[in-house]
Amino acid sequence: SGGASISGSNGNYNLTVNGSGNEITVTVTAAGKNMGTTKFRVRDIPDPNPMLGGIENKGIAIPAPALCAQNRILATLGRDFAYNLPFAVTQYRFIYQKRNRPPVVLNGNGSALTGQMKGLICNAKSGDRIYIENIKARNSEYGFVKKVAPMSITVK
């Protein structure tokens, strides 16, 4: 009860919560006998954090060779999150801002950087900036889509 439904059989069940409440009650019945009732708190899964390959969004300047070695945009809940919920980036906007030049704006589908994006990153000079925004990521197991915070990188 409380906005949840259950599916499955033979001891393997999935509980789906519709998001209408912050607490659900699960009652287990076997062979017509009530085996017990338990209440669970329900919380939304947080938005994932962006990464450029293995580089986290920490706001520190990154050396150009380290940036050039990356080839995809990732979205993760982090090492400290209680569950392994993998996300796959489905789209993003890549903005390269060379010092004192107009920005280059490119859109990406999937998580991979395009050849043009890689070229810009690998030729980056100190002070150039890379922005990755409008990131959307899909959970591969349950199919829900989350918006991911933007990422800003300054080339060291």
Side-chain angles (χ1 to χ4, degrees):
S1 65
S5 62
I6 194 163
S7 62
S9 63
N10 299 327
N12 293 309
Y13 298 93
N14 286 317
L15 185 68
T16 303
V17 180
N18 69 11
S20 64
N22 12 340
E23 188 174 272
I24 61 167
T25 302
V26 176
T27 302
V28 177
T29 306
K33 183 177 179 186
N34 185 334
M35 303 302 288
T37 299
T38 304
K39 290 186 179 193
F40 294 91
R41 289 184 318 160
V42 177
R43 291 196 250 168
D44 193 16
I45 294 170
D47 292 335
N49 298 310
M51 292 178 68
L52 176 59
I55 298 173
E56 294 182 36
N57 191 22
K58 291 189 174 183
I60 59 173
I62 307 293
L67 293 170
C68 186
Q70 310 310 313
N71 60 8
R72 64 185 53 253
I73 309 298
L74 303 174
T76 177
L77 293 172
R79 291 182 285 257
D80 296 332
F81 191 70
Y83 304 102
N84 181 21
L85 291 172
F87 284 88
V89 170
T90 58
Q91 66 184 54
Y92 61 93
R93 179 179 297 138
F94 176 93
I95 302 169
Y96 178 76
Q97 179 69 58
K98 193 169 190 67
R99 288 174 75 173
N100 302 319
R101 298 276 174 103
V104 176
V105 180
L106 304 166
N107 291 313
N109 288 311
S111 64
L113 296 173
T114 67
Q116 186 178 7
M117 292 172 191
K118 282 288 290 178
L120 290 167
I121 291 172
C122 291
N123 292 308
K125 304 289 184 227
S126 180
D128 292 354
R129 293 182 182 263
I130 299 163
Y131 303 98
I132 303 163
E133 62 182 24
N134 294 351
I135 306 166
K136 290 188 181 169
R138 182 178 186 273
N139 172 266
S140 55
E141 187 173 347
Y142 299 105
F144 54 84
V145 175
K146 290 281 199 175
K147 290 182 181 178
V148 180
M151 183 172 193
S152 174
I153 301 167
T154 301
V155 180
K156 189 173 188 178

